[in-house]
Amino acid sequence: MGKRTAGTCYFKVAGKQLEITGGVEAPLSDKERETIKPGYYSEKDKTPYVKVDALFTPDFPIDDIVNGTDMTITVDFANGKTYVLSGAYIVGDASTTGDDGKTSLTFEGRKGSWQ
């Protein structure tokens, strides 16, 4: 029997669900390691983030996304896992395109956790 690992995801920003195209990315770890010499490594904290491709619908919450500095982002993945990013804010260039009606968004925050 097969198990679903990909497919429909649900994405909420500050309690408002966005229509997305399936492109969602969240880190699996909050640490970044680099090998110094085989068997030895350095470790530093990684900034928690979420990247998403959303549809620019008529009810798209522009003000909430652009002005929010302490948002909660919730991503429900098709495999049953949920990633929650707290203290979130938008980073980079938040823009949309008229030809495909999409907007690529990157959020960073204080804490990311898998549930």
Side-chain angles (χ1 to χ4, degrees):
M1 179 161 125
K3 293 185 180 184
R4 188 170 114 171
T5 60
T8 303
C9 296
Y10 298 96
F11 189 91
K12 290 183 183 173
V13 176
K16 296 177 181 162
Q17 188 163 317
L18 299 183
E19 296 291 331
I20 61 173
T21 61
V24 180
E25 178 182 324
L28 294 176
S29 173
D30 62 352
K31 303 287 185 213
E32 188 173 320
R33 294 184 184 124
E34 182 179 340
T35 298
I36 298 169
K37 180 180 175 184
Y40 297 89
Y41 64 90
S42 65
E43 183 176 86
K44 62 182 178 179
D45 291 334
K46 184 191 306 186
T47 301
Y49 71 91
V50 171
K51 294 181 182 179
V52 64
D53 291 329
L55 295 178
F56 192 59
T57 60
D59 60 343
F60 189 84
I62 297 171
D63 289 338
D64 293 336
I65 289 174
V66 172
N67 298 317
T69 57
D70 191 22
M71 297 181 285
T72 299
I73 310 294
T74 305
V75 184
D76 294 317
F77 287 89
N79 65 0
K81 297 286 188 184
T82 298
Y83 185 78
V84 178
L85 179 63
S86 57
Y89 47 88
I90 193 109
V91 295
D93 183 27
S95 61
T96 189
T97 58
D99 61 339
D100 63 4
K102 294 180 187 177
T103 182
S104 292
L105 304 171
T106 301
F107 297 92
E108 292 183 352
R110 280 192 316 275
K111 180 162 178 60
S113 61
W114 285 96
Q115 301 174 358

